[in-house]
Amino acid sequence: MQDLAAPAKPIDVMLANSNPLVLSAMSEIFDRDPRFSLVATSATAEGFLGTVMRVPVQVGIIDWDLPVLGAAKLIEVLRDQVNAPRLVVYGDGNGDLPRLAMTAGAAGFADKAGDVERLLATCADVAAGKMVFPYIDVRELQKDPIHSLSRRERAMLEALSKGLTNRELSKELGITINTVKFHLSNLFEKLSVKNRAQAIAFYYSSRLPGESSDPE
């Protein structure tokens, strides 16, 4: 008897890459594969964010150095959104980028030097709920103090980097001055620093790209 079961629904994906040639080539790759439905593309993190908030997709394939926010910040913004896509970072797998992507909260990493089928398979696995990364020593993740910060503490660190006083931090974050002092105390302890200046220095030397100041 012939199997009349309906074919699996294609996986809705969106691409974001600042290089127009890469974006064009990747678009063609996903357009040709019946497992996927390419919903949209963008050259910026803001464009990606604006689109997926209006038109939900299952998987987003993003460049780590997306202007202007950067992938790390984009992942953080999407983390608390309902129906946010699972994100695959597409980039150079020879350095520290796979670890950074995992630490930031991506669901997968695809090496741009790998073959096309590996990229497509990674996206399919991520859509199915899997985490897909090359071998990473988890002990290295735990060594990064950023890994231990709460969302509030990370927001505090970012605000602190602007040179704000406790009163200004209180206004910026919508909390009392005593709560600011409490969070600062916890933050300094987790980062193993003694004062604001050292905490700010840590912020700007952090191994998480996309969390540094804009060049002058």
Side-chain angles (χ1 to χ4, degrees), residues 55-102:
V55 185
V57 299
Q58 292 168 266
V59 177
I61 300 91
I62 62 174
D63 172 24
W64 184 256
D65 296 316
L66 273 177
V68 172
L69 285 177
K73 189 68 175 180
L74 176 61
I75 293 169
E76 180 180 351
V77 170
L78 284 171
R79 190 176 298 151
D80 295 331
Q81 300 299 321
V82 178
N83 296 326
R86 291 170 61 79
L87 298 176
V88 174
V89 172
Y90 181 69
D92 185 358
N94 292 325
D96 206 27
L97 189 50
R99 184 191 66 82
L100 292 173
M102 177 182 280

Side-chain angles (χ1 to χ4, degrees), residues 83-151:
N83 296 326
R86 291 170 61 79
L87 298 176
V88 174
V89 172
Y90 181 69
D92 185 358
N94 292 325
D96 206 27
L97 189 50
R99 184 191 66 82
L100 292 173
M102 177 182 280
T103 302
F109 181 87
D111 191 340
K112 64 182 181 181
D115 57 37
V116 169
E117 188 50 46
R118 178 64 61 87
L119 167 64
L120 296 171
T122 295
C123 294
D125 284 344
V126 165
K130 298 179 181 178
M131 298 283 286
V132 185
F133 288 89
Y135 173 75
I136 296 174
D137 190 340
V138 177
R139 291 171 298 180
E140 290 298 317
L141 293 178
Q142 301 298 337
K143 291 178 183 177
D144 191 341
I146 282 285
H147 186 75
S148 66
L149 298 185
S150 68
R151 184 176 178 83

Side-chain angles (χ1 to χ4, degrees), residues 160 163-166 169 180 184 188 193-201:
L160 193 64
L164 303 184
T165 64
N166 282 359
L169 286 171
V180 167
L184 284 177
F188 293 168
V193 299
K194 297 180 179 179
N195 53 46
R196 303 165 81 94
Q198 290 180 358
I200 293 171

Side-chain angles (χ1 to χ4, degrees), residues 193-209:
V193 299
K194 297 180 179 179
N195 53 46
R196 303 165 81 94
Q198 290 180 358
I200 293 171
F202 174 89
Y203 175 86
Y204 285 114
S205 64
S206 170
R207 288 182 288 176
L208 283 180

Side-chain angles (χ1 to χ4, degrees), residues 146-216:
I146 282 285
H147 186 75
S148 66
L149 298 185
S150 68
R151 184 176 178 83
R152 172 66 75 182
E153 288 162 348
R154 291 185 66 162
M156 177 75 70
L157 180 59
E158 185 172 355
L160 193 64
S161 72
K162 301 174 185 176
L164 303 184
T165 64
N166 282 359
R167 187 174 298 278
E168 290 168 333
L169 286 171
S170 172
K171 185 177 180 180
E172 172 98 354
L173 300 173
I175 56 180
T176 67
I177 292 179
N178 283 339
T179 303
V180 167
K181 293 177 180 178
F182 171 77
H183 283 305
L184 284 177
S185 176
N186 287 341
L187 182 64
F188 293 168
E189 182 177 353
K190 288 184 178 181
L191 300 183
S192 299
V193 299
K194 297 180 179 179
N195 53 46
R196 303 165 81 94
Q198 290 180 358
I200 293 171
F202 174 89
Y203 175 86
Y204 285 114
S205 64
S206 170
R207 288 182 288 176
L208 283 180
E211 294 191 345
S212 59
S213 63
D214 295 330
E216 296 181 0

